[in-house]
Structures are given as C-alpha cells and as structure tokens.
Amino acid sequence: MANVILKGVTKKFGSFTALDDINIETKEGEFFFILGPSGAGKSTVFNLISGILPVTKGEIFIGGEMVNKLEPRHRDVAVAFESYALYPNKTVYQNLEFPLLAPIRKSQYTAKEIDKIVRETAELLHIEELLDRLPSQLSGGQKQRVSLGRTLVRRPKVFLFDEPIAHLDAKLRHRMRGELKRLQKEMGISAIFATPDQLEAVSMADRVAILNKGVIQQIGTPEEIYFQPANLFVANMVGDPKINIFRGSVKKDGGVYYLCHKDFRLPMDKSAEKIVAGRDLSGDIDIGVRPTCFRLSNTKMGEGDIQTRVSFMQRMGDSQVVKLDVGSFTFTTKVDQSVLYSIGDTVWFSLSGDKIFFFDPVA
Ligand code: ATP
C-alpha cells in the first residue's frame, strides 16, 4: 500500500497538451477518484503513473519513491480495465493464479502461498464456488469479478481502476460499486479510480479530483465539491439533476436580496443572506442554484413567489423532479412527494435554502 504524488506533471503529445501542471497527492489507503468527461485526460494520468508513457515535465512518486525513470514492471502498480480478457481455456482458479506465475513474481511465492492468495481473493469477491468453472460458464457479473480478482491477487502498492464497470448494466454496476468500495476498505488498498460518472465518484470516493481538458478544476471530498464547487465546470459536473445556472445579478430591495434575471427576480431565503452579505454581486455573474433549493406549492405562499406551469415531471424514488419554465429559462427543481405534480399544473415556487453559488461569468 502506497500513496501517489504527481508534482507539476505535464504531458504533451506533439504540440497538444493533454495534461497541464497536474498536482495530486493521494493518501495511503485512500479511494481517490479522477472525475472528468471523455477526453479530459484520465487515462493519460494512469498511463503516466503506470509508466506506459513518459511525462513531458514534472515528477511522479509512488510510496515516496520517484518513479519517473522506473520501468512499468518495477512500479508495482496494477491497472484494472473493464475489458480485462479472461483466458477461455483456463478455469477461474487458473485465471486467478496466472498473474502470480509471471516470471517477475514467480520467485516471490511458494505454491502454497499462491493457493492461499487465490482462495482468499475468491472469497473476498464471493466467487469461491466458481473456481472450477470456465469463463464460458459464468454470467457477465461473475466474469467481471474474476477480472477484478486477477488484478487483486497481485497485491500491488497501488491499484488504478480505469472505468472498470462503465458498461455493466445499471443494476450490476450499482452492486459492483458497493462491492468495490467494500473491497477497497477491507483490503486497505490505495486506489485511484477514473470515471466520467459523477454519481460513481460521489458515492464511492474518499476524495475526488475533477479534471477538464487536462487541467485540475478542484480536489476535495464529495461534500466539498458538491457544496463548495470551485467554478462553474465543477458545479455543472456534480449533482443529479444538474444545477440551474443563469446569468444575472443580486440586488437588494426593501431589505430583501433578490436573484435577478432579465425574465424574473427571486427573493432569497433569510438562511441564504449570509452568502451574499458584504459581496458586490450587482454586476453580471453566473448564478447556480441546486434543484433541491426550491419550495413548490399549488397555492401562493409568499409575496415573491413566481407563478408558472409544470413543463416536465419525473418521479424518482421518494422525490420528484419538476421543471418550470419562466420566460426564457427553465428551472429544474427536486422536491419531496408530499404534493404530486403533473405536467400543466399551475404552481408557485420560491427559493428555499442556501445551495446557491456565484461564479465570475464565463464568456
Ligand atoms: P475517455 O474517458 O474518453 O477515455 P480520458 O479522460 O481518459 O477520456 P485521455 O484518453 O487521457 O482522456 O485523452 C486525453 C486527451 O489526450 C484527448 O484529447 C486525447 O485525444 C489525447 N491523446 C491521448 N493519447 C494520445 C496520443 N497518443 N496522441 C495524441 N493525443 C492523445
């Protein structure tokens, strides 16, 4: 188990900068996530850590050792991909023991130790009943676990998970998330997980680095990136449904602060005043309001309530997502199901809470 440090790491492909001055410091035993859209540079980070690609600039440390010049096989890093092919003619047991028979590791273990590691890993993954089966006799989820097992048996210093469960069906993906998190904690492994899926990151990570176009946008716990997004990109990336963003300003009128847009003005809740007090937000700014920060009613509740109609509605477990058109803007709200709304219903709505963020306008 070891931590990983990337210090001022830049990677160029020709004149294209894929990663720009990346600084990450993971902790031992931490489940660290890199969250970013396709093309952000996640796989490139992994290729640099595992040594498949050289850095253009900067230093990489694994367990305190600078590894820039170390060959991949000496870095003791295991990468789990989704498409980790199993050997079709080998049993699950043989597939699991295979990485331990590689020349570089063979001398490290006796046959008895290899047997112990294989059986312990199978037990952790709940596949101990399947050890004599061939891959063709396994379900998709079972194959996935054997694949993962082949990475786990190596007991490397660091695990890199490169979107390992991205294409599983929703139910299995949900289960694998839980299992991976359990395994990571039970085995106390240091792991970095790359994903474009914000839900995966916030539900599994100890900390998350958000990457966009090769630049780190923010590093923090899931709570920090959700409740204190550093910029518009992070606010947009994290949260489901997506945050409401509109260009506007904050103005005070009769002792009340309003979020102002050309088509509406929304009075702010008293609880939110602390986030605007003492700040000049009267110029053009980008305003972000989480969907959970609204109160809806089928009667008028307060002076500043806005009246509109429901343009979209979706039930989600114990909550509902309700969209409301106001002029040129569509609000997305997420409220409980104490009153059920339908498309076309007249509603009054107002702000409720302080999940409101202000960002310098991006052109
Ligand atoms: P995805 O989620 O789609 O796998 P990613 O975040 O892993 O994306 P990378 O594969 O790291 O992104 O790619 C980052 C950027 O670097 C992309 O714009 C990609 O086109 C570019 N890139 C990656 N490898 C090379 C290469 N060998 N030569 C040139 N450009 C490359």
Side-chain angles (χ1 to χ4, degrees):
M1 169 156 100
N3 71 331
V4 175
I5 299 176
L6 275 70
K7 221 177 186 173
V9 168
T10 293
K11 178 66 188 174
K12 287 183 183 244
F13 295 107
S15 61
F16 175 72
T17 305
L19 293 174
D20 191 7
D21 192 23
I22 300 293
N23 290 287
I24 289 175
E25 188 165 344
T26 72
K27 298 171 192 159
E28 271 185 26
E30 185 177 37
F31 212 176
F32 190 90
F33 272 61
I34 300 180
L35 172 66
S38 178
K42 304 179 295 294
S43 300
T44 306
V45 171
F46 280 8
N47 289 338
L48 299 182
I49 296 173
S50 59
I52 293 171
L53 291 172
V55 301
T56 306
K57 212 172 112 191
E59 291 172 328
I60 297 178
F61 299 84
I62 297 176
E65 183 188 6
M66 216 264 258
V67 297
N68 283 41
K69 296 204 163 68
L70 219 54
E71 279 190 46
R73 62 201 173 101
H74 292 127
R75 292 194 185 192
D76 203 7
V77 169
V79 189
F81 300 101
E82 186 182 28
S83 53
Y84 203 106
L86 300 177
Y87 294 104
N89 299 325
K90 292 186 190 293
T91 63
V92 169
Y93 185 99
Q94 290 165 331
N95 267 286
L96 288 176
E97 76 173 346
F98 192 78
L100 303 176
L101 303 176
I104 188 168
R105 266 174 239 110
K106 204 171 171 187
S107 56
Q108 286 176 25
Y109 303 107
T110 63
K112 210 169 154 195
E113 283 166 339
I114 290 178
D115 183 64
K116 187 163 177 271
I117 293 172
V118 168
R119 290 184 190 282
E120 275 175 6
T121 307
E123 214 170 294
L124 272 171
L125 289 161
H126 304 315
I127 50 171
E128 62 270 43
E129 313 283 300
L130 309 174
L131 288 172
D132 295 330
R133 291 209 201 160
L134 291 170
S136 59
Q137 299 168 313
L138 301 175
S139 73
Q142 290 168 337
K143 276 187 201 153
Q144 181 76 30
R145 271 183 259 169
V146 179
S147 293
L148 198 61
R150 286 186 35 166
T151 314
L152 295 175
V153 289
R154 286 180 46 191
R155 307 283 199 266
K157 283 187 191 155
V158 178
F159 286 93
L160 305 178
F161 293 106
D162 197 355
E163 301 184 34
I165 53 177
H167 298 106
L168 295 181
D169 69 59
K171 202 166 144 207
L172 192 53
R173 199 163 66 229
H174 182 74
R175 205 172 71 209
M176 284 304 290
R177 279 184 195 142
E179 286 194 8
L180 274 174
K181 188 159 172 76
R182 173 185 64 83
L183 275 173
Q184 190 270 334
K185 290 295 168 223
E186 270 181 35
M187 294 178 73
I189 57 182
S190 299
I192 308 180
F193 194 114
T195 180
D197 181 340
Q198 63 94 28
L199 181 61
E200 204 148 87
V202 298
S203 62
M204 293 168 74
D206 293 319
R207 283 190 308 146
V208 186
I210 296 178
L211 189 64
N212 183 36
K213 295 183 180 160
V215 178
I216 299 266
Q217 306 293 311
Q218 184 172 4
I219 297 179
T221 61
E223 292 72 31
E224 283 164 350
I225 57 169
Y226 183 80
F227 291 115
Q228 298 155 41
N231 57 34
L232 205 54
F233 182 85
V234 176
N236 255 315
M237 186 85 201
V238 183
D240 182 28
K242 261 191 191 313
I243 193 167
N244 296 282
I245 305 267
F246 56 90
R247 183 69 52 90
S249 60
V250 179
K251 300 219 166 78
K252 198 171 181 183
D253 186 7
V256 178
Y257 287 98
Y258 288 86
L259 299 185
C260 301
H261 176 269
K262 67 180 176 55
D263 294 335
F264 56 83
R265 69 173 205 167
L266 270 170
M268 288 179 75
D269 208 85
K270 281 273 169 228
S271 69
E273 285 189 0
K274 59 183 182 299
I275 56 177
V276 292
R279 294 170 74 178
D280 179 12
L281 302 164
S282 58
D284 260 1
I285 45 170
D286 284 328
I287 301 174
V289 186
R290 291 273 179 221
T292 49
C293 198
F294 293 92
R295 183 167 50 83
L296 269 58
S297 172
N298 41 24
T299 54
K300 189 169 179 180
M301 303 279 282
E303 244 342 276
D305 283 12
I306 293 180
Q307 183 186 0
T308 182
R309 281 182 192 279
V310 173
S311 62
F312 171 90
M313 197 287 308
Q314 185 180 19
R315 304 216 199 294
M316 295 174 78
D318 57 356
S319 62
Q320 57 187 326
V321 173
V322 181
K323 293 201 179 189
L324 307 165
D325 293 338
V326 183
S328 58
F329 190 75
T330 300
F331 284 95
T332 302
T333 70
K334 186 177 176 190
V335 292
D336 66 29
Q337 295 198 3
S338 49
V339 178
L340 289 175
Y341 295 99
S342 302
I343 293 173
D345 282 358
T346 298
V347 289
W348 279 261
F349 77 99
S350 59
L351 290 171
S352 167
D354 59 359
K355 306 292 172 290
I356 302 169
F357 311 104
F358 306 106
F359 305 104
D360 289 336
V362 179

